[in-house]
């Protein structure tokens, strides 16, 4: 006879106790959920290296946006002055037009009082296009010499006034576009910096210490590169002098291996020394994007102010400063030269010598002297000698 007893499910034993299959599944799910919960923070959170890269990228993007802001600000300032001049001109020409209209009106009134019949003169004052009337030979033949002069003056003043009004309208449109570009660049800088600050604020004390150690290692490597460049430049200078002495001994009086560096006492050398002295005097002042001194600077604001102190006017932005002189190789860099960085030419420093420069690095930092290899040799875009 078949048994009616239900078969027992094959569970698992936990500590010698048989556990029902359903309970086993539940325990497994709990264990998996627990593991997932424990792993989530580490999986979602970026590594320290990723944070460092993101922050560096954000600072670079903010620097690039700062130069766009500087360019838009300069363009807006120039355009505003241009528009103000145009509006003043329009006001003056409008007054002259009104004076010419008044004079024509006086002729019409006089003719009316004396019974003269030149109704077209009065009519043209109300016309949208007086030229249509002036082109009629019969009217011009009936005007006196003084009246003809007044008519010609009216036509000229109206034409010039309309032209200037059109220029002012177009100028105002351009000014609006520049102001919008300025707002966009400003917003971009602020957003990039805010994101960078947020990322840094989430780091633990231990992570900040590790980040500082990474930065220190990068600085040590940059210093080593600077020392190598200084050694190379010293060797090249020694060779240049040797060749000069050899040429003088031969009586040639020329230097067969002279470098592109300014000779001591030359105008360029003196200006470079003044620019460098000014830049070094700013060390310790804070980086502030868009600033041109005297209390704070951004990178191009510092180099512009430094060379201005030497009597040389540089453009405001890195994009324009890079074209304001002669490009030389890194090994030929001399004190006072401008060192530009990154493919988008968004950073610049003033070369000191021995592979070092003075620059305004980034938000949260201060004007300082450090290796031109601070962000790696590949970050150097070019070296330019102003004046």
């Amino acid at each position: 006879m078949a048994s009616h007893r239900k078969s027992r499910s094959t569970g698992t034993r936990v500590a010698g106790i048989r556990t029902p299959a359903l309970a086993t599944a539940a325990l497994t799910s709990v264990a998996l959920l627990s593991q997932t919960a424990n792993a989530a923070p580490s999986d979602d959170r970026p590594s320290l290296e990723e944070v460092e890269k993101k922050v560096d990228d954000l600072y670079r993007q903010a620097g690039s946006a700062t130069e766009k802001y500087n360019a838009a600000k300069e363009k807006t300032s120039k355009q505003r002055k241009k528009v103000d001049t145009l509006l003043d001109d329009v006001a003056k020409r409008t007054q002259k037009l009104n004076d010419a209209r008044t004079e024509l009106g006086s002729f019409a009134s006089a003719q009316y009082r004396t019974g003269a019949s030149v109704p077209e003169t009065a009519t043209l004052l109300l016309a949208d296009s007086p030229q249509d009337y002036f082109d009629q030979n019969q009217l011009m033949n009936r005007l006196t010499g003084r009246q003809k002069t007044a008519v010609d003056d009216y036509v000229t003043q109206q034409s010039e006034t309309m032209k200037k009004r059109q220029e002012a309208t177009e100028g105002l449109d351009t000014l609006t576009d520049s102001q919008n570009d300025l707002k966009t660049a400003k917003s971009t800088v602020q957003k990039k910096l805010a994101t960078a600050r947020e990322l840094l604020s989430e780091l633990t004390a231990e992570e900040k210490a590790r980040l500082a150690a990474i930065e220190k290692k990068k600085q040590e490597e940059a210093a080593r590169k600077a020392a190598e460049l200084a050694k190379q430049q010293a060797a090249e200078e020694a060779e240049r002098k040797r060749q000069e002495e050899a040429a003088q001994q031969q009586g040639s009086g020329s230097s067969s291996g002279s470098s592109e560096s300014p000779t001591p006492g030359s105008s360029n050398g003196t200006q470079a020394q003044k620019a460098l002295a000014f830049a070094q005097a700013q060390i310790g002042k804070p980086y502030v994007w868009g600033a041109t001194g005297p209390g704070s600077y951004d990178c191009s604001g510092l180099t512009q102010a430094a060379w201005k102190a030497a009597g040389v006017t540089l453009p405001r932005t890195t994009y324009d400063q890079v074209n304001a002189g002669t490009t030389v190789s890194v090994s030929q860099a001399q004190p006072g030269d401008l060192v530009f960085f990154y493919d988008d030419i968004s950073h610049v420093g003033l070369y000191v010598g021995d592979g070092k420069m003075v620059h305004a690095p980034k938000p949260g930092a201060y004007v300082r002297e450090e290796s031109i290899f601070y962000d790696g040799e590949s970050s150097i875009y070019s070296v330019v000698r102003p004046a």
Side-chain angles (χ1 to χ4, degrees):
M1 184 174 178
S3 173
H4 296 286
R5 181 181 296 173
K6 294 183 179 179
S7 61
R8 305 175 75 181
S9 61
T10 57
T12 58
R13 291 182 177 272
V14 178
I17 303 175
R18 184 179 295 276
T19 308
L22 183 60
T24 300
L27 288 173
T28 302
S29 299
V30 170
L32 289 173
L33 288 173
S34 177
Q35 292 174 3
T36 302
N38 291 334
S42 59
D43 291 342
D44 295 340
R45 189 172 183 179
S47 67
L48 187 60
E49 289 73 17
E50 290 174 333
V51 170
E52 181 196 27
K53 185 179 184 305
K54 285 183 179 179
V55 170
D56 286 345
D57 287 345
L58 286 166
Y59 279 146
R60 280 186 54 188
Q61 291 168 19
S64 181
T66 293
E67 291 306 312
K68 291 179 181 178
Y69 170 86
N70 292 337
K73 184 178 180 180
E74 186 176 43
K75 182 179 179 181
T76 299
S77 178
K78 290 180 178 179
Q79 188 64 24
R80 184 177 287 110
K81 290 179 182 178
K82 181 179 179 180
V83 168
D84 288 344
T85 300
L86 285 170
L87 291 176
D88 287 343
D89 196 7
V90 167
K92 292 176 182 178
R93 292 184 183 280
T94 300
Q95 183 59 50
K96 289 182 179 180
L97 182 62
N98 291 336
D99 292 342
R101 184 182 288 112
T102 299
E103 186 173 9
L104 285 177
S106 67
F107 290 146
S109 297
Q111 289 166 349
Y112 177 78
R113 288 194 301 271
T114 59
S117 176
V118 190
E120 291 89 344
T121 304
T123 303
L124 77 85
L125 296 177
L126 302 176
D128 293 332
S129 301
Q131 187 64 50
D132 294 341
Y133 293 94
F134 300 152
D135 288 340
Q136 300 177 27
N137 291 330
Q138 64 271 27
L139 173 59
M140 295 301 293
N141 291 334
R142 291 162 63 185
L143 297 177
T144 66
R146 183 180 175 189
Q147 287 173 324
K148 288 181 180 179
T149 299
V151 168
D152 289 340
D153 184 46
Y154 181 86
V155 173
T156 300
Q157 293 299 334
Q158 187 194 52
S159 176
E160 292 182 352
T161 300
M162 290 177 65
K163 180 180 179 181
K164 288 298 179 181
R165 283 176 178 171
Q166 181 62 31
E167 290 181 10
T169 299
E170 294 173 353
L172 284 168
D173 290 340
T174 302
L175 178 60
T176 299
D177 291 340
S178 297
Q179 290 173 329
N180 289 336
D181 291 342
L182 187 64
K183 291 179 181 178
T184 299
K186 181 178 181 179
S187 176
T188 300
V189 175
Q190 292 174 331
K191 288 179 180 178
K192 298 297 181 184
L193 296 182
T195 303
R197 285 194 295 268
E198 183 179 355
L199 284 171
L200 291 173
S201 67
E202 294 174 352
L203 295 178
T204 64
E206 180 183 354
E207 288 173 328
K208 290 179 180 179
R210 286 171 55 200
L211 195 62
I214 293 174
E215 181 65 22
K216 182 180 179 181
K217 187 175 181 180
K218 286 173 61 177
Q219 290 178 354
E220 290 173 349
E221 175 62 17
R224 185 185 67 79
K225 283 280 188 181
E228 288 180 357
L229 177 59
K231 186 177 180 180
Q232 178 185 355
Q233 289 179 323
E236 290 179 356
E237 179 66 14
E239 177 62 17
R240 183 185 69 82
K241 290 182 178 180
R242 187 193 67 76
Q243 292 182 4
E244 283 183 348
E245 291 173 357
Q248 290 173 357
Q249 289 175 359
Q250 293 175 0
S252 65
S254 64
S255 174
S256 60
S258 60
S259 69
E260 297 180 30
S261 61
T263 57
S266 69
S267 175
N268 182 278
T270 301
Q271 289 175 319
Q273 290 170 5
K274 288 181 179 179
L276 182 56
F278 178 92
Q280 290 175 319
Q282 311 313 306
I283 290 176
K285 293 184 178 180
Y287 173 102
V288 174
W289 65 273
T292 57
S296 58
Y297 298 89
D298 63 17
C299 65
S300 56
L302 175 64
T303 51
Q304 183 189 48
W307 273 97
K308 182 179 180 180
V312 177
T313 301
L314 291 182
R316 174 65 182 93
T317 68
T318 54
Y319 314 129
D320 293 325
Q321 288 182 8
V322 74
N323 298 315
T326 304
T327 301
V328 299
S329 66
V330 173
S331 65
Q332 292 176 322
Q334 296 291 327
D337 288 352
L338 303 176
V339 186
F340 294 91
F341 297 86
Y342 312 120
D343 291 338
D344 60 357
I345 321 174
S346 57
H347 189 64
V348 63
L350 201 70
Y351 192 67
V352 175
D354 295 335
K356 299 178 181 179
M357 66 177 174
V358 174
H359 69 146
K362 59 185 178 181
Y366 297 83
V367 176
R368 66 194 184 203
E369 181 177 305
E370 67 180 326
S371 168
I372 62 173
F373 303 104
Y374 79 107
D375 201 21
E377 188 172 2
S378 62
S379 68
I380 299 176
Y381 180 84
S382 67
V383 178
V384 173
R385 184 164 301 149

